[in-house]
Amino acid sequence: LSQADIDFLRDKAIAIPEKKARILLHGNPEKSLHEMLITHTRGSYIQPHINTHSDKSFIVLEGEMVVVVYKEDGAINNHIRLSTYDSSLAFMLRLNGPMFHTVVPTSETVTFLETIKGPHIETVYASFAPPPTNVSQTEKYMAWLVNEIGVNH
């Protein structure tokens, strides 16, 4: 990967309605290790979810974000600000074991490497948060969430 790949992904994420883009580095979903280069833009909504069979790690390459970890009932358990290695914030986070989580970009764009065990079996989306298709509810949910964690979205 190079800066050109990050630039391409950032430009694509900015240009599309979903406000996010990814490159699957592992290719085949049956691979035992999944690595994804992902860009999210400020204002994108990622429904809290859990990957039921794996730990997960995030390494921020460009920008800043908050990873929010939840209890099973939807209460916020923790939130961790991440940025690049040359900032005063942590640049890497490992979630030890399956847990509900989401990502909140706090810069115009954030690009990160996400690593998870494959093969992909199932992503379970949290019932305590609205699906991305319900725009009015996601806006309300995100207003609540950013207020709770004390960031601008």
Side-chain angles (χ1 to χ4, degrees), residues 9-130:
L9 208 55
R10 182 183 58 242
D11 293 345
K12 184 175 179 180
I14 290 169
I16 62 175
E18 296 82 8
K19 299 183 181 182
K20 57 188 175 184
R22 68 178 57 213
I23 298 171
L24 304 178
L25 304 175
H26 55 278
N28 183 328
E30 297 304 314
K31 295 282 187 177
S32 62
L33 182 66
H34 288 201
E35 293 175 299
M36 297 153 284
L37 184 65
I38 302 171
T39 297
H40 291 187
T41 61
R42 186 188 306 270
S44 59
Y45 172 69
I46 309 303
Q47 185 176 0
H49 58 282
I50 188 170
N51 303 92
T52 58
H53 73 288
S54 182
D55 299 350
K56 182 183 269 192
S57 67
F58 304 89
I59 299 174
V60 173
L61 303 174
E62 185 177 271
E64 188 175 307
M65 67 186 196
V66 177
V67 177
V68 181
V69 179
Y70 299 87
K71 297 177 183 176
E72 291 286 326
D73 65 0
I76 295 171
N77 189 42
N78 197 5
H79 65 281
I80 304 94
R81 290 183 74 116
L82 299 174
S83 189
T84 56
Y85 76 93
D86 58 351
S87 78
S88 61
L89 300 173
F91 68 92
M92 193 237 184
L93 173 66
R94 178 181 166 89
L95 299 180
N96 292 314
M99 57 190 73
F100 281 106
H101 63 282
T102 192
V103 171
V104 179
T106 55
S107 54
E108 287 306 309
T109 63
V110 60
T111 300
F112 57 97
L113 180 67
E114 181 178 302
T115 304
I116 189 168
K117 180 178 142 187
H120 179 71
I121 296 172
E122 181 180 19
T123 300
V124 176
Y125 292 95
S127 61
F128 58 77

